[in-house]
Amino acid sequence: MTTQQTGGAAPVPADRPLFIRQGLRGPAWFLILLPLYAPVLLWLLAGPARAAFGTPAGALQALALLAGLCGYVAFAMTLILGARLPPLERLFGALDRMYRFHRRLGEAVGALLVAHVALIAGSRALDSPAGALDLFRPDGWRVFAGVVAFAAFAAVLALTLFGRLRHEPFLRVHRLFGLTYCIGALHVLRVPGLSAQTPGLTAYLGLVTAAGIGAWVYRSVFGRTLVRRHYYTVTAVRPVHPTVAEVVLTPIGERLDFSPGQLVFIGLDDDAVTRELHPFSITSAPGEEDLRLAVKAVGDFTIGLREVRPGAWAMVEGPYGGFWHDSARHRRQIWIAGGIGITPFLSIARSLDPTDYAIDLYYSTVDADAAVFIDELAAIADRHPSFRVIPVREDTLGFLTAEDVRGASGDLGHAHIFMCGPPAMMDALSTQFTRLGVPAGHLHFEDFRLRGR
């Protein structure tokens, strides 16, 4: 059966970012942050560290060294996380969580490297004002390599953060971080005095460098060869709405094995689109032969998809994501989809036997025409009385609120709530659910976004 839901007021701002509320799993915090502590501990245990803070200039130089070491190790970690290694994704619980941590770690790298340069300049300025300027002049390739690496890092970071690049140029510019790291390694590993004073730290930095450069080479240099991918052909591209198309892919050889609610990266060999990989949620059920994706036209690639010819080959990488993984044990569930955020729920609904569950799906769209999969979802609800579909039309009912959900679904104390849609919607609803007493551990999100327009 399909029921109608009343709307509510506009969403309120979230108190805290979604990243903070969703958080990481406990082991991820420990294992990911542990490498940052190691260089500090190794340096502090070394003999020179005990006398480093004897003078103001020495203290600034020591702090600069620690900031540089932490920034260098964190930089390597961003390259490792950017490689999309499946074991690391499982550690975080989902790829979207790992990428949010990756972005914030990159911001921390920038802050640490700025602190490193500022503290070094400050320590030299205490001896002589002109000494700070000497830092930025070529005076031995080992030190000047650090200046070049810092300038390159700042330039690439500025382009990625403020350049308003389209998705494909953004990815190409982002790959330059690996080259920047290689230049920085020449400075860090060969700077005079470090290896002689702390050989243990030098060995540790060598391992970190190898891991960071190896991850960059694996993903950005030889990704097409080393990263495992499946190959499909495009069977059909079916418009289901003026802005949404369903892409049907048929496997060539081995079929992709995935779980409901996961996503894949696809690249197409067709002149209508670029060959860069783009992420999309899978809408087909795991048992289906074909792989189906619902794509909203929001950029050059997704707009060009409508012109892709049947028969074009597709490269599929994945699957990724843990949106619904291990959540089938929760009998009482609330699903909230905003617009194209319905896609992961489609795969789950198409594969789910709802007899063991009590599920309410709120499908929020700007108007009735935008609810492109409502008929199929209503048919699933007709077959399974424990699965309800509740459409929410923003043009007539307003924005969905947590009070609306409680009014239609009853007590939320034991319900697990799954959300996918615009970030503003998820931020607002998660804050409202928290105010209603829903435990943070009962809120689950799919918030996968790559940077670039």
Side-chain angles (χ1 to χ4, degrees):
M1 62 179 293
T2 303
T3 59
Q4 190 74 10
Q5 165 68 8
T6 59
V12 300
D15 293 334
R16 290 179 294 166
L18 180 62
F19 167 76
I20 299 298
R21 288 196 304 275
Q22 187 170 5
L24 295 172
R25 296 181 177 182
W29 280 116
F30 177 77
L31 292 176
I32 291 299
L33 295 180
L34 180 61
L36 289 178
Y37 306 144
V40 177
L41 293 175
L42 288 170
W43 185 82
L44 291 175
L45 292 174
R50 290 190 288 270
F53 294 90
T55 64
L60 289 179
Q61 191 165 1
L63 292 174
L65 175 63
L66 293 177
L69 290 175
C70 290
Y72 182 74
V73 174
F75 198 166
M77 291 165 59
T78 64
L79 297 177
I80 294 170
L81 293 177
R84 294 203 296 264
L85 301 173
L88 284 179
E89 188 216 2
R90 290 192 291 270
L91 181 67
F92 279 83
L95 190 64
D96 58 339
R97 297 183 188 181
M98 189 177 80
Y99 267 16
R100 283 196 294 277
F101 185 84
H102 167 83
R103 286 195 292 268
R104 282 152 182 82
L105 193 61
E107 295 167 0
V109 171
L112 287 167
L113 295 184
V114 168
H116 172 70
V117 173
L119 289 167
I120 283 287
S123 69
R124 294 195 176 191
L126 288 179
D127 296 329
S128 168
L133 297 177
D134 291 338
L135 179 65
F136 302 99
R137 298 192 182 107
D139 185 18
W141 67 267
R142 293 176 178 86
V143 174
F144 193 66
V147 176
V148 174
F150 176 76
F153 176 86
V156 175
L157 185 64
L159 279 174
T160 56
L161 291 179
F162 310 113
R164 294 189 55 79
L165 301 175
R166 295 185 181 276
H167 180 69
E168 290 81 6
F170 171 86
L171 292 179
R172 297 188 187 104
V173 170
H174 197 267
R175 293 188 185 112
L176 295 177
F177 276 123
L179 184 59
T180 300
Y181 184 79
C182 293
I183 299 173
L186 296 176
H187 167 69
V188 172
L189 298 181
R190 301 300 298 170
V191 67
L194 181 62
S195 59
Q197 294 175 355
T198 55
L201 176 58
T202 302
Y204 175 77
L205 293 177
L207 291 175
V208 169
T209 302
I213 294 177
W216 175 65
V217 169
Y218 166 78
R219 168 58 59 180
S220 298
V221 180
F222 297 114
R224 292 184 177 272
T225 303
L226 298 179
V227 178
R228 187 189 179 196
R229 283 153 182 168
H230 293 75
Y231 291 89
Y232 283 71
T233 57
V234 177
T235 302
V237 179
R238 304 169 183 152
V240 294
H241 181 266
T243 63
V244 179
E246 183 179 56
V247 181
V248 183
L249 306 176
T250 300
I252 303 173
E254 183 181 7
R255 182 167 56 93
L256 180 73
D257 185 20
F258 65 92
S259 298
Q262 289 192 297
L263 60 90
V264 292
F265 287 77
I266 68 166
L268 299 170
D269 183 22
D270 192 281
D271 293 337
V273 294
T274 65
R275 288 173 175 77
E276 290 285 357
L277 297 177
H278 289 67
F280 300 102
S281 293
I282 302 170
T283 60
S284 51
E288 296 182 30
E289 180 67 17
D290 290 338
L291 189 69
R292 287 188 281 171
L293 312 168
V295 179
K296 184 175 182 179
V298 294
D300 291 345
F301 183 88
T302 50
I303 293 173
L305 270 177
R306 292 172 174 268
E307 306 301 323
V308 171
R309 297 167 287 106
W313 65 263
M315 182 169 55
V316 179
E317 179 189 324
Y320 295 102
F323 181 48
W324 204 68
H325 182 62
D326 289 338
S327 298
R329 65 182 182 275
H330 307 307
R331 185 180 185 279
R332 181 65 176 123
Q333 299 181 15
I334 306 295
W335 298 354
I336 300 175
I340 199 62
I342 192 65
T343 51
F345 294 114
L346 277 173
S347 178
I348 301 170
R350 286 167 171 169
S351 59
L352 183 67
D353 181 1
T355 55
D356 295 332
Y357 305 93
I359 300 172
D360 290 344
L361 167 60
Y362 292 83
Y363 188 6
S364 177
T365 56
V366 293
D367 53 37
D369 290 339
V372 292
F373 297 101
I374 191 66
D375 291 339
E376 181 181 358
L377 290 167
I380 296 174
D382 288 339
R383 295 194 301 270
H384 303 287
S386 60
F387 177 58
R388 293 198 305 164
V389 179
I390 304 173
V392 181
R393 308 291 180 252
E394 295 176 4
D395 59 343
T396 57
L397 303 174
F399 291 104
L400 178 69
T401 68
E403 287 288 355
D404 294 332
V405 175
R406 183 167 66 174
S409 298
D411 179 39
L412 303 176
H414 299 288
H416 280 253
I417 300 172
F418 298 82
M419 292 184 277
C420 183
M425 179 197 80
M426 293 191 292
D427 278 346
L429 286 174
S430 59
T431 298
Q432 295 169 16
F433 282 126
T434 300
R435 291 173 180 169
L436 292 180
V438 177
H442 287 201
L443 299 177
H444 310 273
F445 308 90
E446 176 72 288
D447 183 30
F448 190 85
R449 286 171 286 168
L450 289 182
R451 294 297 299 273
R453 292 189 295 135

